[in-house]
Amino acid sequence: MKPFTSLCLALASLAAADAVLSAARPQYGGTLRVEVEATLATLDPAAAAANDAQDAARARVSPLVFEPLTSIEADGLRPLLATSWQIEARGGRWRFRVRGGVVLHDGSTLQPWQVAASIRAIEPAWKAAAEGDAVAIDTGEPIPDLPWAIADARHAIVVRGAGGALVGSGPFRIEHVDPSRILLKAHDSYWRARPFVDGVQIESARRPEAQLVDLEGGRADVVGVRAIDARRLMRRGLRVEASRPLELVALVFEPHRATDAALAWRRTLAATIHRDAICSVVLQGQAAPARSALPPWLSGYARAIALNDAPAMSPTAVGALPLDQRTVTIRVDPADLVTQAIAERLAVDAREAGFTVKVQAPVGLAPRPDARLVRVAAPATTADRALASIAERLSARGEPAAAPPPGAALDATYRAEQALVERVVVVPIVHVPQLYGVGERVGAAAPVARPLGGWDLANVWLLGGRP
Amino acid sequence: MRVLSFAAVGFHGREWWTRPASAALALATLSVPAPAQPSAPFLDLAPDFASSIAAAVGPNAAAFVAFPPEQQRLQAEVVRLLAARGIRSVEGGDAARVSAECSTNLRERVCAAEIRRGDDRRVVITTRARDRAQDGGEEPIVAIELRPLYAQRRAMLDVAEAGDRLLVLAPESVSLVANDAAGARSIASRPIETSRVWPRDVRGRLRVAGASFEAFLPGVTCRGTVAPFALACADESEPWPLGLANSGIAPSRNAFATPDGFTFYEAAALGGGQWLAVGEHGALTLVDARGRSAAPADAADHVAGFPDSCAGDAPYVVADARAGEPNADALRLFRVVGARLVALPSSSTLPGTLTALWSAPAGGAATAIVHDVNAGRYEAFHVSLSCAR
């Protein structure tokens, strides 16, 4: 049995938990101040994101305003704006019963035809129409796990009002959006009860360093935190909250190093990686060692099965390699200090095995690297969809990867993952969670960070009364 | 039209004050990847899983099956099912090595195994859709429950229920206690007649079987009946009813010894022929038919076992711990996982110093005797576990 320990993550989380505020009577009022690194010019779920960071930031903010028919929670798929769903025997047509009495941000009540229009806007190829208190969706090509597919933020129900106003049903309504600031106001008639705070102010395009300083200085209440900064916040008595691991950090070899002839060489380099040390030392306990693309909680099988443990070259064989094969250049995103820190540690480990590793963080043109250290989101959904998402993002980075078909059986997902990692072109290193720093005036009986990503800001209140 | 899924309606209201006060624990629980889960929610997968393993291993083969320590019950079930298919459970040799674990992802419950024999490697995966009710049953909320039995000024060694009466063992007597509308009161007492001089740390144990009972003391065994209330004692050492084999406490001593010479003070049944014993200097030791091994945990003076409580697959143990105030002990709850004691959040502060913690021989309950120095009395409590899901 391969030990897959996340002890360091557990320990760090417990340490962070020490600082959790004791329960207090919730208070209404005040404006919660949140900061994000990405620029958010719109919250429209249908709008294409400019990059992964913007996509991730919107996935956090959008659910505060818009809600999909279904929701994926830690215990599986749950109803949200739909109360139930059925599929016709032939598999291409679904019927979702729309929850009654949901008051939209404009004061009207959500109608099935509005749901159908929203679905059509985001999926033009589908046929969606109201049928009584339900909406029928014909996807054409059968999607056997449609309720899972439409649980993401992109499929949230948006009612497009006059002048292009975006009307949702979530706990907050949009008051103002510009590229540097988003103002949300509490939705008094929210069907799951009004949020405690009156509003949320989201400052976007804030660099991580600035977010830290703002949190420490009391100018922000919830900020994004890099793993390399977690200890600093905890030492100052501030809370650091974590989701489940939702991102894969992996080493991806470039095509000239991805040949079959170089397989033993790649295995040898991969075998030098000390994942536990990266997790506990570099990432300050805020990560879990990764020997698979999917985190074990997403696959369900990763702890029992080794995806790749083929033998590596011996150290003497490494020493006998030509110089150009003993020298490895790893490229990292110059703006990403976390992957830079991991790469530096990889260099130390590889050096002990006889390799010379150069870490390259170019801001302009640079020599061709041998590998890149990349971060890839592992979305909280079914194992096959999560792996398909990872494969798609890796493909976009140049590593062609086969994805399991939607709704695939788990053994098919396993085989696809095995195919992804067995050539050692993609080397999983760590799985990292979303981390948030939470300020002293934030009270909550539950964590601000949702286990599957994002924030639970409707459940937050501000201590000290109305500011 | 075929109904594939019909989801339950609704979210509950946000009742803050009913949520666990320990946000810290909640955070820790939510933040970390789920560890290996108990076996119980996966037992229904065992037949299909064993069948898949059997097909991969081949007919009449030998296999060594290993699950994580938390899933021993599941391992036993899979081994049993494999044996029924003619697959022997053997370690080493040409036996296939089966590393298995059951877990969940967001959609399914998953049992996965990697089967190796030499260079041959196979993988089997068995899944079943998640069910919210079964999810809810994964982790019982277990708490120590104390029920006061009796209190008196004089020293007590043990208390046992005998029908609607209580038997109270003291160093000098056995008393019969009635507990009715008038309150608990001693209605009869019989002296323990012996030539022995009790050790300074005198210990005693009662065993009730219908209308008769036995009292065990160091070098003395008494036998009696409840109705009529009678008692006869003899200066003889008998094995005490601890479950773990022993020859009783020798006169002028306070410890037991197993037939192979292991000295222990208390023993908690863990089920499956395994025991957790308090050895010398409070060292906790796991004892089974194969021998003894240290249980990595803090030292303790008292342990009681609850092997089959809460439908879990790992037994629970209650041990003593120092409470925050002087002259007071606490009971602390642990789960036994493999050879480790994993502390659980439940603990109960006692009103004094714990002087005895006697497990029921079959486990599932215990009797705690507490000396409240400040109030100048001894109190007896029935100790059990409450389980919620």
Side-chain angles (χ1 to χ4, degrees):
Chain A
M1 182 86 45
K2 279 66 53 192
F4 180 90
T5 174
S6 53
L7 183 62
C8 48
L9 184 60
L11 293 175
S13 299
L14 285 169
D18 284 342
V20 169
L21 295 167
S22 58
R25 194 87 194 172
Q27 302 173 48
Y28 283 85
T31 299
L32 188 76
R33 300 158 306 174
V34 179
E35 295 184 358
V36 297
E37 185 177 3
T39 302
L40 286 172
T42 177
L43 294 184
D44 189 346
N51 51 47
D52 286 353
Q54 192 177 80
D55 194 29
R58 197 189 290 163
R60 290 168 209 178
V61 178
S62 178
L64 302 176
V65 179
F66 308 109
E67 296 175 310
L69 291 171
T70 57
S71 168
I72 300 172
E73 307 291 337
D75 57 353
L77 188 68
R78 297 286 157 250
L80 202 61
L81 291 183
T83 56
S84 62
W85 46 86
Q86 297 170 316
I87 183 173
E88 288 189 357
R90 279 175 297 169
R93 192 169 187 271
W94 290 77
R95 197 165 182 273
F96 292 82
R97 182 172 293 166
V98 177
R99 186 178 296 278
V102 173
V103 177
L104 297 170
H105 296 158
D106 62 1
S108 64
T109 303
L110 179 67
Q111 301 297 325
W113 66 267
Q114 293 172 312
V115 174
S118 178
I119 296 285
R120 285 196 303 269
I122 197 73
E123 298 286 358
W126 295 357
K127 293 175 185 165
E131 286 185 357
D133 63 352
V135 58
I137 301 174
D138 187 340
T139 58
E141 283 292 309
I143 301 179
D145 60 349
L146 186 67
W148 290 87
I150 60 170
D152 64 356
R154 203 170 73 87
H155 289 91
I157 303 305
V158 181
V159 177
R160 294 172 194 276
L166 302 177
V167 179
S169 61
F172 297 93
R173 61 182 167 82
I174 299 172
E175 178 82 358
H176 171 82
V177 179
D178 71 41
S180 64
R181 179 174 296 182
I182 295 169
L183 294 178
L184 306 177
K185 288 293 179 189
H187 178 25
D188 287 326
S189 303
Y190 181 46
W191 65 277
R192 291 158 73 188
R194 181 198 192 276
F196 289 112
V197 294
D198 290 338
V200 178
Q201 174 183 303
I202 301 169
E203 299 280 343
S204 49
R206 297 288 290 166
R207 292 199 51 76
E209 300 82 1
Q211 292 186 44
L212 268 190
V213 172
D214 286 348
L215 185 72
E216 290 168 340
R219 293 182 293 280
D221 299 311
V222 177
V223 302
V225 174
R226 298 173 300 198
I228 53 177
D229 296 322
R231 200 170 292 150
R232 164 178 159 178
L233 285 184
M234 286 190 275
R235 282 196 184 125
R236 292 178 184 233
L238 292 165
R239 289 150 61 188
V240 174
E241 295 188 2
S243 67
R244 290 184 182 178
L246 287 166
E247 201 172 41
L248 166 70
V249 178
L251 192 66
V252 181
F253 286 95
E254 292 291 290
H256 70 284
R257 293 293 197 186
T259 60
D260 289 344
L263 177 60
W265 176 85
R266 291 194 301 274
R267 279 194 179 132
T268 305
L269 191 62
T272 67
I273 298 170
H274 289 183
R275 293 173 174 82
D276 290 336
I278 292 169
C279 164
S280 59
V281 179
V282 178
L283 301 180
Q284 304 183 6
Q286 303 291 344
R291 291 179 176 82
S292 54
L294 289 174
W297 71 271
L298 269 179
S299 72
Y301 56 69
R303 270 190 283 265
I305 302 171
L307 282 153
N308 180 27
D309 59 354
M313 295 165 68
S314 69
T316 45
V318 174
L321 288 169
L323 182 61
D324 70 314
Q325 290 193 33
R326 277 183 279 137
T327 305
V328 185
T329 303
I330 298 175
R331 180 173 292 181
V332 296
D333 179 351
D336 187 346
L337 296 185
V338 173
T339 50
Q340 282 183 46
I342 294 171
E344 297 292 351
R345 174 70 203 208
L346 294 181
V348 171
D349 293 339
R351 196 172 300 136
E352 290 178 7
F355 290 98
T356 301
V357 173
K358 297 175 186 169
V359 177
Q360 183 191 77
V363 289
L365 291 174
R368 182 177 65 167
D370 298 297
R372 295 168 194 263
L373 198 58
V374 300
R375 296 165 68 137
V376 183
T381 179
T382 60
D384 53 287
R385 287 190 170 275
L387 186 64
S389 173
I390 290 172
E392 183 185 343
R393 287 165 194 265
L394 287 172
S395 294
R397 289 175 162 88
E399 168 55 18
L410 197 61
D411 51 357
T413 304
Y414 160 73
R415 286 194 297 273
E417 186 173 12
Q418 170 82 4
L420 179 66
V421 299
E422 71 179 350
R423 290 182 60 239
V424 203
V425 175
V426 176
V427 182
I429 297 176
V430 289
H431 289 121
V432 293
Q434 293 175 3
L435 293 173
Y436 301 104
V438 180
E440 291 169 337
R441 70 175 196 143
V442 177
V448 174
R450 292 164 57 87
L452 304 190
W455 306 306
D456 189 6
L457 299 189
N459 286 333
V460 163
W461 68 87
L462 295 171
L463 301 172
R466 213 172 269 267
Chain B
M1 185 172 289
R2 184 165 58 98
V3 177
L4 281 190
S5 170
F6 199 87
V9 175
F11 284 79
H12 301 293
R14 286 167 287 159
E15 296 159 343
W16 298 98
W17 39 93
T18 64
R19 291 191 179 188
S22 176
L25 180 65
L27 172 60
T29 306
L30 290 170
S31 302
V32 299
Q37 297 160 349
S39 306
F42 301 105
L43 280 172
D44 61 320
L45 274 77
D48 287 350
F49 192 41
S51 179
S52 299
I53 293 172
V57 169
N60 302 318
F64 177 71
V65 180
F67 278 73
E70 295 85 354
Q71 298 183 340
Q72 287 175 353
R73 187 169 156 198
L74 187 61
Q75 175 175 316
E77 179 65 5
V78 169
V79 167
R80 188 186 69 77
L81 291 165
L82 288 174
R85 288 169 169 80
I87 294 173
R88 293 167 289 123
S89 181
V90 177
E91 185 171 10
D94 65 345
R97 185 166 184 84
V98 182
S99 300
E101 181 168 356
C102 293
S103 183
T104 58
N105 60 31
L106 288 171
R107 187 174 60 184
E108 299 137 326
R109 292 178 293 132
V110 181
C111 288
E114 185 180 71
I115 302 159
R116 286 178 184 269
R117 187 190 284 133
D119 293 335
D120 185 37
R121 173 180 176 272
R122 297 179 188 206
V123 166
V124 298
I125 297 175
T126 302
T127 65
R128 198 155 292 177
R130 281 180 74 161
D131 180 295
R132 204 170 193 180
Q134 282 169 312
D135 284 356
E138 287 175 358
E139 291 291 348
I141 302 164
V142 186
I144 300 170
E145 219 168 51
L146 295 178
R147 175 165 56 89
L149 289 173
Y150 187 60
Q152 67 178 29
R153 298 266 174 214
R154 291 179 295 122
M156 274 193 289
L157 303 178
D158 193 12
V159 173
E161 291 174 294
D164 57 353
R165 304 283 166 91
L166 288 178
L167 286 169
V168 177
L169 175 62
E172 70 282 355
S173 65
V174 176
S175 301
L176 190 64
V177 171
N179 193 4
D180 51 27
R185 66 196 190 285
S186 174
I187 54 174
S189 184
R190 297 289 178 268
I192 294 172
E193 292 175 344
T194 175
S195 60
R196 303 272 191 214
V197 175
W198 294 137
R200 292 176 185 274
D201 178 21
V202 60
R203 308 179 67 191
R205 182 84 205 265
L206 286 165
R207 174 166 64 188
V208 177
S212 61
F213 67 91
E214 292 169 290
F216 301 87
L217 293 122
V220 174
T221 304
C222 304
R223 295 174 181 83
T225 54
V226 177
F229 188 46
L231 186 70
C233 298
D235 290 354
E236 59 187 29
S237 276
E238 292 274 332
W240 286 34
L242 306 176
L244 186 56
N246 69 90
S247 51
I249 292 180
S252 75
R253 292 289 184 273
N254 64 352
F256 304 93
T258 60
D260 63 348
F262 169 58
T263 300
F264 69 98
Y265 293 85
E266 287 185 12
L270 302 182
Q274 195 177 39
W275 302 84
L276 182 70
V278 177
E280 289 181 279
H281 310 295
L284 294 179
T285 304
L286 286 166
V287 182
D288 60 22
R290 291 173 296 180
R292 298 187 295 273
S293 60
D298 290 341
D301 287 329
H302 304 280
V303 289
F306 299 83
D308 297 318
S309 296
C310 302
D313 30 41
Y316 295 91
V317 164
V318 167
D320 62 311
R322 181 62 56 197
E325 45 199 275
N327 299 322
D329 284 335
L331 291 179
R332 185 80 196 274
L333 183 63
F334 296 86
R335 198 160 164 245
V336 184
V337 179
R340 293 180 300 123
L341 262 60
V342 179
L344 298 178
S346 179
S347 66
S348 283
T349 301
L350 300 168
T353 306
L354 185 65
T355 60
L357 184 64
W358 294 119
S359 298
T367 302
I369 308 293
V370 177
H371 183 201
D372 185 344
V373 177
N374 298 326
R377 64 181 181 181
Y378 286 79
E379 289 183 72
F381 295 89
H382 178 268
V383 183
S384 60
L385 300 186
S386 73
C387 312
R389 290 182 186 271

